[in-house]
Amino acid sequence: DADGFSWGLESHQSRGYPLLLGLRPQSCFGSNIKVYVYDTDFAKRVLGCSQGMFASEVFVHRFLLHSECRTEDPAEADFFFVPVYAACVMTKEGKLAGDMDTFYKGLTVEGLPTALPYFADRRADHIFLWSSETYDFPSWREHIHTSIFLSVEARPIECSDFDFFSEETAPNFGASCWHCPWCFSPWKDAVIPGFVEKWSIEKMHAVERPS
């Protein structure tokens, strides 16, 4: 919450500002795990992408960035977190599946100037987060299938045409898309909750009935 900080304007987002802006150090809850956090071009719009059910991609990134778990020494890192606000840039900036595929390939294909420097040697220790029902890297099977996925879906949606879905084509959605039970690997991946904003939690508490 925002206790201890005074804002000129209170909003439904302001309770998350201390975490998002790095104003309060985050605990690792006694864990000795060390995480190296990359900087990527699609993880810049912190406040603009920090609302709605896809905002876990922002909050997890900012938590790790300002937590005791973080290390800036890759040699001591247990894991490497790759922040990408994929759902946000696709919905707010109009990026298409092809744009995301090109971006992720730039991060993971060895030899490219934008490639993650520690990915080639330690790809199984790299963490990618998917905050929507799809993995927003259409070619993920070819490049990051051994990496760790944090996903809001254990049966994510795969599509033969990732730009197929729209309100107009919704009745034919099943022709190009399906749930993929084998895309999620329980021995390396983990399911995380979708983001629920504070105002929504308070509304649910307001109508809560005694059990």
Side-chain angles (χ1 to χ4, degrees), residues 27 39 50-51 153 196 198:
S27 167
D39 179 39
S50 65
Q51 52 189 312
E153 293 282 351
V196 181
K198 182 69 175 177

Side-chain angles (χ1 to χ4, degrees), residues 40-68:
T40 74
D41 289 340
F42 283 0
K44 303 295 188 184
R45 296 180 56 177
V46 176
L47 297 184
C49 293
S50 65
Q51 52 189 312
M53 65 181 182
F54 302 139
S56 55
E57 59 191 6
V58 180
F59 277 84
V60 172
H61 170 217
R62 302 301 289 185
F63 168 81
L64 291 173
L65 194 65
H66 302 296
S67 77
E68 298 171 350

Side-chain angles (χ1 to χ4, degrees), residues 137-146 158 162 180 182-183:
F137 181 10
S139 300
W140 68 268
R141 288 181 298 278
E142 301 167 31
H143 302 285
I144 62 171
H145 65 279
T146 60
E158 283 278 286
F162 278 82
C180 178
W182 56 265
C183 292

Side-chain angles (χ1 to χ4, degrees), residues 46-118:
V46 176
L47 297 184
C49 293
S50 65
Q51 52 189 312
M53 65 181 182
F54 302 139
S56 55
E57 59 191 6
V58 180
F59 277 84
V60 172
H61 170 217
R62 302 301 289 185
F63 168 81
L64 291 173
L65 194 65
H66 302 296
S67 77
E68 298 171 350
C69 307
R70 184 190 180 194
T71 178
E72 297 186 62
D73 179 3
E76 72 168 4
D78 299 295
F79 300 103
F80 297 78
F81 184 75
V82 184
V84 181
Y85 302 166
C88 181
V89 298
M90 292 183 78
T91 56
K92 295 190 176 183
E93 297 181 15
K95 301 294 183 184
L96 300 177
D99 300 321
M100 300 309 298
D101 209 51
T102 299
F103 174 76
Y104 276 107
K105 285 178 181 176
L107 296 180
T108 59
V109 176
E110 191 174 6
L112 293 181
T114 55
L116 305 174
Y118 313 110

Side-chain angles (χ1 to χ4, degrees), residues 1-47:
D1 60 45
D3 293 344
F5 297 94
S6 178
W7 312 111
L9 175 66
E10 290 289 333
S11 75
H12 69 282
Q13 285 182 278
S14 60
R15 286 180 180 270
Y17 286 173
L19 186 155
L20 293 170
L21 301 177
L23 302 177
R24 179 180 294 132
Q26 302 299 312
S27 167
C28 254
F29 306 100
S31 172
N32 293 320
I33 289 176
K34 293 297 181 182
V35 181
Y36 182 93
V37 181
Y38 285 104
D39 179 39
T40 74
D41 289 340
F42 283 0
K44 303 295 188 184
R45 296 180 56 177
V46 176
L47 297 184

